[in-house]
Amino acid sequence: MRDAVIVDAVRTPIGRGKSSGALHGIHPVDLMAHSLSALVARTGVDPALIDDVIGGVVSQVGEQGVNMTRRAALAAGFPESVPATTVDRQCGSSQQAVHFAAQGVIAGAYDMVVATGVESMSRVPMGASARIPAGAGDISGVGFAQRYPEGLVPQGISAELIAAKWGLSRGQLDEFALASHEKAARATKDGRFAAELAPLAGLETDEGIRTGSTLDTLAGLKPAYYDAAMAERFPQIGWNITAATASQISDGSAAVLITTSERARELGLRPLARLHSFAVAGDDPLFMLTGVIPATRKVLDRAGLTLADIDLIEINEAFASVVAAWAHDTGADPRRVNVNGGAIALGHPLGASGARLMTTLVHAMRERGARYGLQTMCEAGGLANATVLELL
């Protein structure tokens, strides 16, 4: 039976998604191309052997539109014969790219694929692809509006609804955010990201990590998503989410090389991990971000494992409340979760984050000798991906 293994995984440092950010001057096509070039250089693989490049991008408009993964592959110097496509499962786009790549390899449709992702949020603002020109109508249609007559809500409100439903206090969320920065700062200082990073534009470490904050400092921040109409509609909301307990707007890219164990041996490559099991799940689109809970259960069931078998976990820190609710319902050991910090500290370049988390997870597993790793992330629309890796 064919398998799918990760030969290598690489990412750029994550830049602040602002005009003053270190990666703002890099076109998103060149940003993705940098990870693709670094991946080929690190492995020594002839890019002509790559059967496809599958890229995750969320805001597929402007510089990031029109199947930009193809342009990035060409910008990286890949032969014109190497095809490429771009997928969108919102924040999980490049994790879905990994799934499609691995599933294609296992099925025999591919022998070698690159899964990649990018987002330049400083150049293509979040939500740009959903903006409707004046007079162009809505994006949902009649049936959707009939099913959800009161309308859905922005992600920040969903994060607040989660905090309220799971009884998460402002103090709990602030403590989580502070710990994320502390772990990321310690990992950076100790060189734990060195094996996965491909420096770019003078940026050698993740730009958004902050040191010196305290719980008192965070307690002084105002709620980030307060809205009078939403407060009237949802009186249960305590307005506990701040800029500190939400992921950062960021620029970055990542890429993962996937093949079979047999093909890796033929090429003299040493795989890092096997892609063991996959799942995608849907959940209430009003709460939007809770799909990680059923997705985790689903992938573990498919893997024939329990959470106790998982040594390391990467769950995207879209908001502190998401991870806290997931941990409450799954019983995850916090000592195994985001051991080098998460998106609250490192940043969340939307389309890149799935591949970024995969890159961080596989390198952390190798460093720590962890047999099994789990990755999951919430996605707009009440969706979530989950993946189990096995160290080789």
Side-chain angles (χ1 to χ4, degrees):
M1 180 178 175
R2 290 169 64 97
D3 64 357
V5 299
I6 295 173
V7 171
D8 206 349
V10 63
R11 68 177 180 92
T12 68
I14 300 172
R16 291 192 181 98
K18 302 178 179 180
S19 60
S20 59
L23 300 182
H24 171 70
I26 309 297
H27 192 289
V29 168
D30 296 314
L31 188 56
M32 177 183 276
H34 183 73
S35 287
L36 295 176
S37 299
L39 189 67
V40 168
R42 286 160 59 116
T43 59
V45 165
D46 180 353
L49 298 176
I50 295 169
D51 294 306
D52 207 353
V53 181
I54 305 174
V57 183
V58 172
S59 295
Q60 295 185 25
V61 67
E63 293 178 344
Q64 294 182 166
V66 200
N67 189 20
M68 68 151 289
T69 306
R70 169 64 170 170
R71 301 195 300 282
L74 294 173
F78 286 19
E80 293 175 347
S81 59
V82 177
T85 191
T86 306
V87 300
D88 173 8
R89 202 188 285 277
Q90 294 296 280
C91 294
S93 293
S94 56
Q95 185 173 0
Q96 185 62 59
V98 170
H99 284 200
F100 283 155
Q103 290 158 357
V105 166
I106 292 168
Y110 300 134
D111 287 323
M112 181 175 292
V113 193
V114 174
T116 182
V118 73
E119 206 81 26
S120 179
M121 300 177 76
S122 68
R123 297 173 67 105
V124 184
M126 181 170 58
S129 59
R131 290 179 187 146
I132 306 167
D138 66 69
I139 61 171
S140 299
V142 176
F144 187 90
Q146 289 176 339
R147 182 166 184 174
Y148 301 100
E150 295 183 355
L152 301 182
V153 298
Q155 290 193 18
I157 302 301
S158 293
E160 287 282 10
L161 287 171
I162 291 168
K165 181 176 179 178
W166 271 265
L168 302 169
S169 69
R170 171 70 180 268
Q172 286 176 285
L173 301 178
D174 286 350
E175 286 177 2
F176 182 93
L178 194 63
S180 182
H181 282 279
E182 289 173 347
K183 288 188 288 186
R186 186 166 55 248
T188 299
K189 181 180 178 181
D190 294 345
R192 291 178 187 163
F193 294 130
E196 66 194 62
L197 288 172
L200 175 63
L203 187 63
E204 298 186 354
T205 59
D206 300 300
E207 193 176 20
I209 302 170
R210 292 187 292 272
T211 58
S213 295
T214 66
L215 288 176
D216 288 340
T217 303
L218 300 190
L221 297 176
K222 296 179 180 180
Y225 301 100
Y226 177 79
D227 178 276
M230 291 296 173
E232 184 176 355
R233 180 179 171 185
F234 303 110
Q236 72 270 35
I237 289 180
W239 303 107
N240 290 322
I241 306 294
T242 69
T245 51
S247 55
Q248 297 184 46
I249 292 172
S250 310
D251 300 339
S253 74
V256 182
L257 182 61
I258 298 168
T259 186
T260 65
S261 294
E262 182 179 3
R263 188 69 169 136
R265 283 193 300 270
E266 290 173 358
L267 296 173
L269 301 170
R270 182 184 179 187
L272 300 176
R274 179 167 70 98
L275 287 141
H276 187 288
S277 299
F278 320 91
V280 62
D283 207 8
D284 185 348
L286 180 64
F287 281 80
M288 192 185 302
L289 311 170
T290 53
V292 288
I293 298 169
T296 296
R297 292 170 178 155
K298 192 173 182 179
V299 78
L300 290 173
D301 183 60
R302 286 185 173 174
L305 301 170
T306 69
L307 206 56
D309 297 313
I310 304 298
D311 302 295
L312 290 177
I313 300 168
E314 286 287 329
I315 174 171
N316 194 40
E317 294 175 359
F319 298 90
S321 58
V322 172
V323 183
W326 166 87
H328 176 274
D329 279 23
T330 62
D333 182 347
R335 295 171 297 181
R336 302 182 184 186
V337 178
N338 297 356
V339 293
N340 293 327
I344 284 174
L346 299 171
H348 180 18
L350 305 175
S353 285
R356 197 286 296 171
L357 265 70
M358 185 71 64
T359 297
T360 298
L361 177 59
V362 73
H363 284 285
M365 288 174 65
R366 191 158 189 83
E367 179 191 23
R368 295 168 180 255
R371 181 178 180 186
Y372 291 114
L374 167 71
Q375 175 185 333
T376 189
M377 56 196 307
C378 58
E379 302 148 4
L383 303 172
N385 279 66
T387 316
V388 171
L389 301 183
E390 183 178 14
L391 190 69
L392 294 175

